[in-house]
Every structure is written in C-alpha cells, then in structure tokens.
Amino acid sequence: MDVASRATVSRLPKSATKDRRIAVIDIGSNSIRLVVFDGLKRAPVTVFNEKVLCGLGRGLQSSGQLSPEGVELAVPNLIRFTALTHAMGVERVDLIATAAVRDAQNGPDFVKTVEQVCGHPVNVLSGSEEARLSALGVIAGNPQADGIMGDLGGGSLELVDVKNGKIGAATTLALGPLRLMESCGDNRQKARAKIDDTLEAVDWLSAGEGRFFYPVGGAWRNLARLHIEQKRHPLHAIHGYTIASDEAIKLARLVSRQGKSSLSGIDFISRRRRETLPLGSLVLGRLLRKAKSRSVSFSTYGLREGYLFDQLSKRHKAEDPLLWTAREFAEREGRFGGLGSALLRWSDPLFPEEDAEERRLREAVCHLSDFAWREHPDFRAKQAMRRILHYPLVAIDHRGRSFLAYTIFLRYGGLPTAPESEAAVLLLSERWQVRARLLGSALRLAFRVSGATGEILDHCQLRADGGVLELVLPNDGTVPDGEAVHRRLRALAAIGGFDDCRIVV
C-alpha cells in the first residue's frame, strides 16, 4: 500500500478560532467525510463539511479486501482532511471507521497507514456501536422520536428501535448498496429477494408498525431532496421533513428502477451516488413495507452527531435542542443579551390556553426575536425570515419552522399577506397564522416599550381584563409611553380580538 507523505500547513493562532471546535472524520464504505463542529454542545453547528466518495467497500464481499482504487483515493484525502483541521486550529480530531474497514482483511493495515500519515488514532466501530451511535444521533435531533431508525451506508444497514430517548432492539445487516451491487449486479429481482430474505430474519421489525421510520444517510437524504423538488414543497430543509410511508414507497419504487443515465440530469446527485441510489431506494421501499411504518421523517443527524451526543453529560443530553439553539443564538446575536425568558413571561396573558408544544415554539420565537438588528431596515423582515427557514434547527418539524419564521417576519414589520412570506404561510393553518400575527404584534410592542432591554421589560406587563387589553407601566416615569407605544398597543388589541385597550400607570 503506497503511502503519501504528511501534509504540513501553517496553523491559525488560538485567538483566531472560536469555541472548542471538534473535527470528526468519518471513514465509511462509500464515502469519507470531514465535519468540523463548533464544539461539544447540545446542538453543535457544522463549521465545515466536505466529503469524497471513495468506495472503499467496492468488491469487499468477493475479495475480502478494501478496494485498491478506494484506498488510493482515500489516503491522500484523509491526509488533506487532517491538514485542513490543523490549519483551522482545531485541537481535537477524531477519526471513526465503519463497515468496510472493520470487515476487510486488510482493514488493520489500512488503519495503521492512516494513523501513521494523519497522526491520529482511528476508532473502528463495531456494528452494534455504529447502530447505537446512529440512533443516538436521531435522538439528539428529535428527543421525541418514536419508531425505527435506519442508517444506510455503503456496506451496511443499521436498524434500531427508538422511543422516548431510549434505544431498544438493534441489528446490523449487510444491505449496503455496494454489497448489493456486488452480489446482485443489475438483477433487480435478485436484489429484492436478498433484501426481503435479510429483513425477514429481523424478528423485531414488526415493532415498527404504525410508527415513524427515521432514515439516515446520504442516499436517503437525496431521496428527501427529490421528493421536495417533485412536490414543489415550499421548504427545502431536510431535517424534520415528514411524508406518509406510502409516498416514500412510491418514490423509492420509482428511483429503484432508474439507471445512472436517468439520474444524470439531477444536479444535486453526484456521479458516484447515481450508481448506488437505485439500490438504496430499493432497500428503503422493501424495509418500509416490511416494518409497516406509518410515516417517514428524515433526519440529518446521524452517526457523527450521535458520536458527539454520547459524550455529553446527562444534564446536557436532557436539554431541549431547539430551545438550547435559540438561547445560544440570542446570546450571540442579540443587542443586549437574551430577552427570551422575559418576552415569554410578558406575552403569557395573550396565550392562556396553549398546549406544551405551542408554548415551546413561542419560547423559541421569543429567544430569536432580536437577532436581525444588523440588517438594513428595508430588508430586515425578509432576511430574518429566510434565515430561520434555512437555519439548521433540529427538534422541529416544517410547520414549526414556518411558524417561527413567519412570526419573526411579522415582528420585524413584515405585512401578513406579503408575497415573500408565502413559503412559510403555505404550511400554516389559519389558527397558526393567527398565533403568529398575535405573537409578532406583541413582540413589536415589547421592543417599542423596552428598547430591547430586559430591565425595562421587567417593570411593565400586559394584562387581559375581560375584553380590555392593558399595558401596565410603573408610575415613577422610568418607562415612558408615547404615540408609537399607543399605536402598537391598539394594533395588538385588534389582532387579539379585544374590545378596547389602555395604558395603566
């Protein structure tokens, strides 16, 4: 095995880096990927992400060896990855390897070479450990996950039952597309029979009936993107994108029958991915039929995120990742520190009968309500909405994301029927639109009264007195009113259906 020499690059000084960034290099059967996270956090943000489709697992089933071409491509790119992390000033670099490396006869030699040229140890995960960490990734991104997690790599498929943050039955199956390509070639019927026979041996798969299925992995993320494009769905966020199982089976059947040339016109599917996507789709379709899942909810969190989540304390694992992200966002982007908790209390009287999820989303909005102040006033509402629609939030579905974005749009003065808000409004029922308008108007009043300072906000309050909405201010003149305050109070009262409004000193 030829070995390239180490790459040497200059390193950024510590003062030039933020947080305690962590790099995870994932050596998979089909691809290798470098992801740099902004730290060991409840909801880490990706700072850098790059992959190379090497195909280390090609031919493994017949030869027992890693693909020579794959190794030749992987080693210099792994050297490059580690050199990049050094240049970025990343102090912690973790390399993890999965099915191809653990199963290949020359896997230990490959690991030895990589450790020599990269200067970091390689953690070769067992099948059970890979399944566990992938499931933890889904739980990290959706603490309420209830169903079966499936992580499809090039060499294997990990299946895990998850419920209420707990991991149940788990198994690893040799159903990666690279292995199916090798054992079945272009014979779709043979591949289908092999998939069905392999799934039949999983005696607990019936536990998925009527529950969610959570697909993880690049091939299945591509299917989510295809469905979003096919249905012209207004949001392009993959995490939390949920469709009926029948819809997913229909799409999987269609893609499984396509050849490479048929997929060549789809820009976001790479040339190498076109080779494996049809078989990956076939696996998904047969799996959903066997498990009898009700719905499919795609997860962008998987093995790497689960690997980090596993290292958090019990207290940090228990935190709500959406609210954690919103609070961190507020502290980083807000003008005078986070106002979320104060705004939540301040707006409580307007929402006396909300359920726990409605309150949770309202709290997230409150935390996120002052991050766009640097934007030009003419574009602030639109830019804020777009940022929320596309920010890597987790533990939230598309309706919830739309509610956050639309409310923030209104908080910054966007018109309720403005064409630019259509992408968000399309996913909201009339009831959720009304909630967004009411909360957006309340936040506009709160920021007008307080000047975005918690000290002033803590000394005034809203009060619903029958059909009258009251703004209660201290009588010492420390919180002055004015025409703008009166105007926004009247607007809020109108949206809330109050008969009248008044300021009480």
Side-chain angles (χ1 to χ4, degrees):
M1 186 183 298
D2 292 332
V3 179
S5 60
R6 288 178 186 248
T8 58
V9 293
S10 59
R11 182 187 181 93
L12 283 174
K14 289 184 180 180
S15 59
T17 62
K18 296 180 180 179
D19 304 308
R20 294 181 61 85
R21 292 178 175 174
I22 298 175
V24 179
I25 298 177
D26 181 0
I27 306 171
S29 300
N30 194 34
S31 66
I32 62 172
R33 185 185 292 268
L34 163 64
V35 182
V36 179
F37 296 97
D38 67 345
L40 187 61
K41 302 177 177 181
R42 181 58 185 85
V45 174
T46 298
V47 176
F48 182 85
N49 188 337
E50 183 178 318
K51 74 174 179 183
V52 179
L53 290 167
C54 298
L56 282 170
R58 289 179 184 274
L60 174 61
Q61 187 159 307
S62 59
S63 70
Q65 305 285 316
L66 295 173
S67 162
E69 295 82 6
V71 171
E72 187 176 347
L73 186 58
V75 170
N77 277 287
L78 290 171
I79 293 172
R80 177 176 178 274
F81 283 175
T82 51
L84 284 174
T85 63
H86 187 80
M88 294 173 187
V90 178
E91 295 184 2
R92 178 177 165 186
V93 181
D94 292 358
L95 280 71
I96 55 177
T98 54
V101 175
R102 72 169 170 259
D103 293 342
Q105 295 171 9
N106 61 340
D109 291 337
F110 174 78
V111 168
K112 184 178 180 180
T113 297
V114 171
E115 290 180 339
Q116 176 187 343
V117 298
C118 294
H120 298 281
V122 178
N123 182 6
V124 182
L125 303 176
S126 66
S128 60
E129 185 69 355
E130 183 180 355
R132 186 182 75 87
L133 293 177
S134 294
L136 284 178
V138 168
I139 291 169
N142 182 2
Q144 304 304 315
D146 180 4
I148 294 176
M149 183 284 310
D151 186 356
L152 183 69
S156 65
L157 168 65
E158 279 68 47
L159 296 174
V160 183
D161 192 311
V162 296
K163 185 173 184 177
N164 297 327
K166 304 294 184 183
I167 293 175
T171 189
T172 296
L173 306 173
L175 288 180
L178 292 181
R179 296 201 182 192
L180 289 172
M181 287 171 60
E182 187 177 353
S183 61
C184 304
D186 294 329
N187 189 328
R188 187 175 180 276
Q189 294 301 111
K190 184 178 179 181
R192 187 171 70 177
K194 181 176 179 61
I195 293 167
D196 288 347
D197 289 345
T198 303
L199 293 176
E200 186 65 32
V202 183
D203 57 6
W204 57 267
L205 205 53
S206 60
E209 184 172 357
R211 299 164 71 201
F212 279 87
F213 181 75
Y214 302 94
V216 174
W220 288 346
R221 284 195 298 272
N222 275 296
L223 284 180
R225 291 188 66 180
L226 276 172
H227 194 267
I228 287 171
E229 295 291 339
Q230 182 186 61
K231 297 298 181 180
R232 297 184 179 180
H233 188 71
L235 300 189
H236 283 206
I238 291 176
H239 190 88
Y241 181 59
T242 302
I243 60 177
S245 183
D246 289 346
E247 278 285 306
I249 290 172
K250 187 187 305 182
L251 175 66
R253 183 191 304 121
L254 174 65
V255 177
S256 71
R257 294 174 175 172
Q258 305 304 308
K260 289 187 291 185
S261 59
S262 301
L263 298 172
S264 61
I266 305 175
D267 293 340
F268 59 80
I269 301 178
S270 67
R271 177 180 60 83
R272 288 180 176 268
R273 182 70 75 189
R274 291 174 206 141
E275 298 176 357
T276 58
L277 186 57
L279 283 173
S281 302
L282 184 60
V283 171
L284 179 63
R286 304 311 295 176
L287 175 57
L288 292 176
R289 288 179 181 276
K290 177 65 177 175
K292 297 181 181 179
S293 301
R294 171 172 57 90
S295 301
V296 175
S297 183
F298 292 90
S299 174
T300 57
Y301 270 33
L303 174 65
R304 293 173 294 274
E305 291 76 16
Y307 175 77
L308 296 185
F309 182 73
D310 192 40
Q311 300 171 51
L312 294 175
S313 67
K314 185 177 181 179
R315 178 175 65 84
H316 284 108
K317 286 179 181 177
E319 291 183 305
D320 185 316
L322 173 64
L323 297 182
W324 188 94
T325 298
R327 284 193 295 267
E328 186 191 50
F329 205 85
E331 291 294 335
R332 187 176 66 246
E333 303 284 346
R335 284 174 286 183
F336 307 113
L339 284 175
S341 297
L343 288 167
L344 182 68
R345 291 192 302 270
W346 198 81
S347 57
D348 275 343
L350 299 172
F351 302 93
E353 298 179 354
E354 64 186 353
D355 61 29
E357 179 61 11
E358 290 169 343
R359 182 176 177 82
R360 174 176 176 265
L361 293 177
R362 179 163 65 89
E363 181 177 354
V365 170
C366 289
H367 286 299
L368 294 169
S369 59
D370 195 38
F371 75 88
W373 58 274
R374 292 183 179 88
E375 302 290 346
H376 190 283
D378 291 349
F379 309 106
R380 193 172 288 157
K382 181 178 179 180
Q383 294 286 63
M385 180 183 67
R386 287 176 60 86
R387 193 169 179 188
I388 296 298
L389 287 177
H390 300 291
Y391 195 79
L393 299 170
V394 294
I396 189 170
D397 59 16
H398 278 207
R399 183 195 65 179
R401 180 184 289 269
S402 296
F403 173 74
L404 264 60
Y406 184 50
T407 307
I408 294 297
F409 175 76
L410 298 172
R411 171 267 181 270
Y412 280 115
L415 298 177
T417 58
E420 55 263 35
S421 68
E422 183 180 13
V425 175
L426 282 174
L427 298 181
L428 297 177
S429 66
E430 179 61 28
R431 180 174 182 276
W432 279 95
Q433 291 180 45
V434 170
R435 283 182 60 83
R437 290 195 289 269
L438 184 60
L439 181 54
S441 182
L443 291 172
R444 285 180 63 74
L445 174 60
F447 280 100
R448 175 60 68 186
V449 170
S450 69
T453 61
E455 183 178 355
I456 291 181
L457 196 61
D458 289 340
H459 288 84
C460 57
Q461 62 177 310
L462 285 176
R463 190 166 62 195
D465 184 8
V468 179
L469 178 64
E470 296 180 340
L471 172 60
V472 182
L473 302 178
N475 60 9
D476 58 5
T478 56
V479 184
D481 60 2
E483 175 54 31
V485 172
H486 283 267
R487 186 171 61 250
R488 291 193 179 181
L489 178 61
R490 289 193 295 270
L492 176 59
I495 292 172
F498 292 92
D499 298 325
D500 198 4
C501 62
R502 59 176 173 252
I503 293 177
V504 178
V505 179

